[in-house]
Amino acid sequence: MDKHELRVMALTGGLLSIFLFAIIYNAFSRKIDVPTCVPYTGVFKKPHIKKVDDLNYEVYAVAHMWSYDPDEITIPSGSTIDLYLTSLDVVHGFNIVLKGVNLMAVPGGVSKTTITFNDPGIYRIVCHEYCGAGHQYMMGKIIVTDKR
Ligand code: CUA
């Protein structure tokens, strides 16, 4: 190994150390964290299902790593849900399998849709936007009962 090679290696090592130090220093000194932000805090502070009348519901749902809140919604068949959805951290998906409902839960924003469930059954909700290590476990369900 000649001395040019050694010099290049030393320079590379030195630069790498500086970059690593800068990244670690910034991560700790600025307390970098995933932002948490819920718009319209009044309704989303506590995610909930609001019964408007026997066949109309409003759902205020919050997605976060790696679940939905609420993660289970039970309604009688024939019901209509006004769904308001936001995210606490990163972009998540909200796909109601068999219903063709395909929403994004975006931090700082609210997605809204209206869905009617005429057939009783269990409708699975899956996150279809990659959101980190627990993405594949992120799911919920809507249980549509046949009693009215
Ligand atoms: Cu949430 Cu993928």
Side-chain angles (χ1 to χ4, degrees):
M1 210 185 298
D2 74 21
K3 66 180 181 208
H4 292 290
E5 266 181 305
L6 276 174
R7 214 179 287 167
V8 169
M9 281 170 70
L11 187 67
T12 312
L15 280 174
L16 260 180
S17 309
I18 292 169
F19 290 148
L20 273 178
F21 173 78
I23 290 168
I24 292 166
Y25 175 80
N26 274 295
F28 284 98
S29 71
R30 299 186 188 182
K31 294 200 174 105
I32 289 176
D33 208 351
V34 182
T36 50
C37 151
V38 172
Y40 318 119
T41 47
V43 282
F44 284 105
K45 200 165 261 172
K46 203 161 183 273
H48 62 283
I49 304 161
K50 181 178 156 191
K51 184 175 177 177
V52 179
D53 61 39
D54 281 347
L55 290 178
N56 287 285
Y57 295 81
E58 285 174 7
V59 175
Y60 296 90
V62 175
H64 52 83
M65 291 172 178
W66 286 284
S67 59
Y68 300 103
D69 195 5
D71 66 352
E72 200 177 296
I73 298 163
T74 304
I75 50 161
S77 60
S79 296
T80 297
I81 290 178
D82 280 332
L83 172 69
Y84 299 87
L85 174 71
T86 189
S87 168
L88 205 59
D89 37 44
V90 298
V91 175
H92 295 277
F94 189 100
N95 176 221
I96 305 177
V97 184
L98 302 176
K99 269 316 242 186
V101 171
N102 190 333
L103 284 180
M104 303 306 282
V106 181
V110 176
S111 304
K112 196 236 165 182
T113 194
T114 300
I115 323 144
T116 300
F117 293 87
N118 287 318
D119 302 317
I122 294 173
Y123 296 81
R124 293 201 317 122
I125 302 163
V126 295
C127 179
H128 62 305
E129 178 71 25
Y130 183 73
C131 57
H135 164 69
Q136 65 271 31
Y137 304 112
M138 187 162 171
M139 53 189 78
K141 59 184 162 190
I142 298 171
I143 300 164
V144 180
T145 61
D146 58 3
K147 59 175 190 290
R148 300 223 172 164

